[in-house]
Amino acid sequence: MAATTIGVFDSGFGGLTVLRELLPLIPGAHYIYLGDTARLPYGSKSQITIARYAVESARFLESQGADHLVIACNTASALAMTEIRDAVGIPVTGVIEPVVDAARHRHPHSDVLVLATSATVQSHAYRTQCGERGLRASEKACPLLVPLVEEGWVDSPITRDVIRVYLREALADCSPQAILLGCTHYPLIAPAIRAILNELNSQAEVIDSARATAIAIERAIHVPPTESAVPASFQCYATDSVEKFARLGSQFLGQPIPLVDLLDLGG
């Protein structure tokens, strides 16, 4: 019997934090990760283009045998979920609903703060999802954090200074009970975010979208007992430099990526 196969898609590297959480959570599964690195950043593209790119990637993962699809990309989750679900015949989970549901469960009818990229904030997808669940959301665009994380400056004083500025600005306008990490890069700097919240006298709980998404997938997928004793496996595809993906991606995944296959999805 073939292992449960889970496709994980992102425009780049950040979705590897979701895969990082999934690997120990669902033993026996096989993961296929696709980073559309040749066409990032998605946030600067039109909704029509984002949907086209995401659908192409989703169809590829389905063609490779994925039983469930994880859209580990906030931009695609915000702007292309309807098109993705219409295009494939397997269940699809994005990264927005799980973290909002986690916030609702832990802090019902409360104020929350969403930290995200400019594109995700401009979509107001988090605000909409929070409003539908009785949460009052403030959104803060943090455009400098992704390049700092990709530069490897996770523990840098510069990164902490940038986080401090963003949080001071955001907390001047709201008093949240929870902070939602609305970008899959941000779990790598979650400890710094927690430390600076404490420094700023905020008791807000930081809710990690990667972890929340992985838990949602675990609940949605029934893994046969025969698979539960087998370690999870994964393979990676990238649409641009496989060497760069393996080098930078290993920081996000927390382990070496021995092989990355190059995939051409066109322009």
Side-chain angles (χ1 to χ4, degrees):
M1 182 176 179
T4 300
T5 301
I6 302 172
V8 183
F9 161 70
D10 186 19
S11 59
F13 307 93
L16 288 165
T17 61
V18 179
L19 179 58
R20 181 178 186 165
E21 294 287 346
L22 282 165
L23 286 171
L25 206 57
I26 308 179
H30 177 65
Y31 296 90
I32 308 172
Y33 184 94
L34 169 56
D36 191 10
T37 47
R39 302 190 291 195
L40 60 79
Y42 276 19
S44 62
K45 311 294 193 299
S46 69
Q47 189 278 332
I48 292 175
T49 298
I50 292 167
R52 176 166 63 86
Y53 289 174
V55 164
E56 289 171 354
S57 296
R59 284 175 171 161
F60 170 78
L61 290 169
E62 184 180 33
S63 75
Q64 297 302 297
D67 304 303
H68 197 111
L69 183 60
V70 183
I71 306 302
C73 172
N74 274 273
T75 302
S77 294
L79 298 172
M81 286 298 288
T82 298
E83 289 86 351
I84 294 168
R85 284 174 169 146
D86 287 346
V88 298
I90 56 177
V92 181
T93 301
V95 288
I96 296 177
E97 291 183 9
V99 70
V100 174
D101 283 339
R104 175 184 61 175
H105 176 72
R106 298 181 201 177
H107 304 278
H109 308 295
S110 65
D111 295 316
V112 300
L113 171 63
V114 180
L115 305 180
T117 64
S118 297
T120 298
V121 168
Q122 289 167 9
S123 76
H124 297 306
Y126 275 93
R127 181 188 295 175
T128 299
Q129 294 282 351
C130 286
E132 291 174 355
R133 291 161 174 78
L135 300 171
R136 297 173 296 277
S138 299
E139 298 169 300
K140 179 62 177 175
C142 305
L144 294 178
L145 294 183
V146 165
L148 287 169
V149 171
E150 292 196 351
E151 194 65 30
W153 292 6
V154 172
D155 298 317
S156 167
I158 295 173
T159 302
R160 291 194 292 273
D161 285 344
V162 171
I163 294 170
R164 188 175 292 107
V165 170
Y166 285 144
L167 287 177
R168 276 180 176 159
E169 291 177 349
L171 295 176
D173 298 322
C174 64
S175 298
Q177 281 70 60
I179 308 287
L180 310 190
L181 301 186
C183 173
T184 50
H185 284 62
Y186 296 176
L188 296 183
I189 52 173
I193 292 172
R194 292 187 180 97
I196 293 167
L197 283 169
N198 184 64
E199 173 189 310
L200 297 175
N201 298 315
S202 172
Q203 302 302 312
E205 179 189 9
V206 175
I207 302 181
D208 180 342
S209 57
R211 179 66 178 171
T213 300
I215 290 172
I217 298 300
E218 180 193 28
R219 291 171 177 166
I221 293 178
H222 173 69
V223 177
T226 53
E227 292 184 26
S228 61
V230 180
S233 60
F234 69 91
Q235 64 187 109
C236 293
Y237 290 87
T239 57
D240 199 5
S241 170
V242 294
E243 293 81 7
K244 179 180 179 181
F245 188 94
R247 174 175 49 81
L248 188 54
S250 64
Q251 300 175 31
F252 288 82
L253 190 59
Q255 63 177 279
I257 301 177
L259 177 66
V260 182
D261 291 310
L262 183 64
L263 176 66
D264 183 4
L265 290 174

